[in-house]
Amino acid sequence: MPEQVSVLIVGAGSRGRNYAEAAERTGHARVVAVAEPRPEAREVFVAQHSVPADGVFEDWRHLLDQPRLADVAVVATQDKDHVEPAVELANRGYHLLLEKPMATSEADCERIVRAAEQADVLLAVCHVLRYTPYSRALKQIVDSGRIGDIVSVEHLEPVGWWHQAHSYVRGNWRREDESSFMLMTKSCHDLDWLAYIIGRQAKKVSSFGGLYEFRPERKPEGAADRCLDCAVESTCPYSAPKIYTPYLDRPDKGWPLSIVTMDRTAEGLMTALREGPYGRCVYSCDNDVVDHQVVNIEYTDGVTASFTMTAFAPAAHRKTRIFGTRGSIDGDGETIAVHDFLTGPEVIDPGAYGGATAADGHGGGDQGLVDAFIDAIRTGDPGLILTDGRESLDSHRLVWAAERARRTGTVVTL
């Protein structure tokens, strides 16, 4: 068993930085190399993790001419750029920790899975919701048979009004042609999580939804194209200054402020909002992904689930209701209320592990995933990883099927 697992980070953005920090927090991993094209982001990362000079690269392709530098490659580039580094680094013997979604096409997802299988390396897709203490406790209750057989599930993802504006209206995931559709970029987590909890194969899916609010025709009278120039900014919940200024007072000044500007001062923020994409009016952007969607799924033996994603809520943990033949469960991402039809109600608290967003580590899911992956490498036990490449490919295929159903107004059979 190696004392230390060596880690290469491909893409030193928000997620790459988070996984690097989580890996070093395990006490069993060390970041030894990084590939990042942006000079400032690269320099900050190198200084934070003391990456040696021979482990610093502007482009991941430069790694292909080097001997293997690490045990693990964390691929955390933009979604559309996942496939090439994942395939090439797997071919060179790197175990892969791959940010979700795997890729932006089914064919590219298949390429990644095949490459990992042929190279005999571990592949874990970052479905972090499986790894929260809350999810583990909920799964244990379900698998114990306490509520009998699951018959139906209601699951809600409250994205959050400001998170939608930040990531999916102004940000990197606002356009399908630059990333992918909303259900894939945001909610592949959730359809994967439902598969994990329910433990059945999806058979049919339907879906409805669209872009309701963040369109030019919804722009308030008198609104400008930028928040800093806007006469009605003070009455707009999506005001960029309102969203980002409070983060200047946080000790870490991290996400989402870290995405807006590297200069995390009041002056730096105002410059970014005046000149960059995050200061645009949410009604004057080039976004096209949906802001609300429902998905209905039928699993084997007629078990059903409904999933709702909405921008129009506080950013919070997912909410889930599970209905079984001997009891039901209400979960809010923090506590689990079980109503046993024989013995009555009980509230179970797995412990507080922070908030639901990336800034809070997704309720312990980020660290739980990295802990499991590093331990799997150290011990040679792939069973510590809760979803392999093929399982992730199956849940991604369900996401594509749901989006086809939404676009065509049909029920899609898998």
Side-chain angles (χ1 to χ4, degrees):
M1 181 185 296
E3 183 62 29
Q4 290 282 306
V5 174
S6 52
V7 178
L8 156 69
I9 302 293
V10 181
S14 176
R15 300 306 291 153
R17 293 193 303 270
N18 285 359
Y19 292 132
E21 292 165 8
E24 294 193 333
R25 275 196 297 268
T26 67
H28 298 295
R30 183 168 62 92
V31 176
V32 300
V34 62
E36 168 56 53
R38 298 168 299 163
E40 190 173 3
R42 187 172 63 247
E43 290 167 10
V44 169
F45 186 93
V46 167
Q48 182 177 358
H49 295 281
S50 302
V51 180
D54 60 357
V56 181
F57 301 88
E58 295 180 8
D59 191 316
W60 65 266
R61 295 170 184 83
H62 298 162
L63 291 156
L64 304 183
D65 299 326
Q66 305 282 332
R68 185 164 64 89
L69 300 181
D71 302 308
V72 171
V74 177
V75 178
T77 57
Q78 289 297 302
D79 302 342
K80 61 185 176 60
D81 299 324
H82 283 179
V83 61
E84 295 302 334
V87 169
E88 294 296 337
L89 294 172
N91 289 341
R92 284 158 178 78
Y94 290 86
H95 300 290
L96 296 177
L97 186 62
L98 176 62
E99 177 61 338
K100 63 86 188 169
M102 299 171 70
T104 56
S105 75
E106 189 170 340
D108 283 345
C109 290
E110 291 174 345
R111 283 182 62 197
I112 293 169
V113 173
R114 284 199 305 271
E117 290 175 344
Q118 291 169 2
D120 195 25
V121 297
L122 293 182
L123 166 62
V125 178
C126 298
H127 290 301
V128 297
L129 293 186
R130 290 192 180 212
Y131 294 86
T132 66
Y134 166 85
S135 292
R136 290 179 182 268
L138 180 61
K139 177 67 170 170
Q140 186 175 26
I141 294 167
V142 168
D143 288 352
S144 74
R146 182 170 179 186
I147 65 165
D149 294 340
I150 293 177
V151 178
S152 58
V153 179
E154 296 175 355
H155 185 59
L156 168 68
E157 180 181 14
V159 175
W161 80 94
W162 64 265
H163 188 185
Q164 183 82 22
H166 169 72
S167 294
Y168 305 100
V169 178
R170 295 175 170 127
N172 291 329
W173 293 274
R174 70 192 184 279
R175 291 184 60 84
E176 290 188 27
D177 60 355
E178 294 183 5
S179 179
S180 189
F181 52 95
M182 182 78 175
L183 196 66
M184 181 61 77
T185 60
K186 187 69 177 82
S187 303
C188 67
H189 267 328
D190 295 273
L191 298 196
D192 174 82
W193 187 86
L194 285 170
Y196 172 58
I197 296 297
I198 294 172
R200 290 180 177 272
Q201 185 76 27
K203 306 298 289 185
K204 296 179 181 179
V205 62
S206 65
S207 183
F208 304 92
L211 178 57
Y212 184 92
E213 176 67 1
F214 305 105
R215 299 176 287 135
E217 52 267 41
R218 300 281 297 177
K219 189 173 184 176
E221 185 176 352
D225 288 341
R226 285 193 170 270
C227 293
L228 295 184
D229 303 323
C230 185
V232 299
E233 176 269 335
S234 64
T235 63
C236 179
Y238 307 105
S239 157
K242 282 191 183 72
I243 291 172
Y244 300 116
T245 300
Y247 288 90
L248 292 171
D249 296 329
R250 289 181 55 148
D252 63 353
K253 298 184 181 181
W255 185 90
L257 182 63
S258 59
I259 303 298
V260 178
T261 177
M262 296 294 290
D263 179 3
R264 298 172 207 173
T265 64
E267 182 180 355
L269 174 59
M270 290 302 107
T271 298
L273 296 187
R274 187 171 294 109
E275 300 175 359
Y278 292 95
R280 293 180 294 174
C281 173
V282 292
Y283 302 101
S284 298
C285 293
D286 58 344
N287 58 298
D288 61 12
V289 300
V290 305
D291 54 22
H292 68 292
Q293 187 165 355
V294 296
V295 179
N296 297 308
I297 308 166
E298 182 181 77
Y299 297 86
T300 54
D301 294 329
V303 172
T304 58
S306 64
F307 166 65
T308 297
M309 179 284 297
T310 181
F312 308 109
H317 289 290
R318 277 79 168 174
K319 311 288 192 293
T320 310
R321 302 179 73 192
I322 303 174
F323 305 96
T325 56
R326 300 179 65 85
S328 63
I329 294 173
D330 281 70
D332 62 5
E334 295 181 344
T335 59
I336 302 165
V338 180
H339 187 95
D340 188 309
F341 295 164
L342 285 175
T343 62
E346 178 188 5
V347 176
I348 297 167
D349 186 354
Y353 288 87
T357 68
D360 303 307
H362 292 116
D366 288 359
Q367 191 65 53
L369 163 72
V370 175
D371 287 347
F373 190 73
I374 295 298
D375 282 347
I377 302 300
R378 292 178 62 238
T379 63
D381 181 5
L384 296 173
I385 300 170
L386 299 180
T387 176
D388 62 22
R390 287 285 163 188
E391 289 177 291
S392 291
L393 179 57
D394 283 346
S395 67
H396 278 55
R397 282 174 169 152
L398 174 58
V399 176
W400 271 300
E403 185 65 4
R404 285 197 301 273
R406 184 184 75 86
R407 291 176 184 273
T408 60
T410 60
V411 175
V412 173
T413 300
L414 286 89

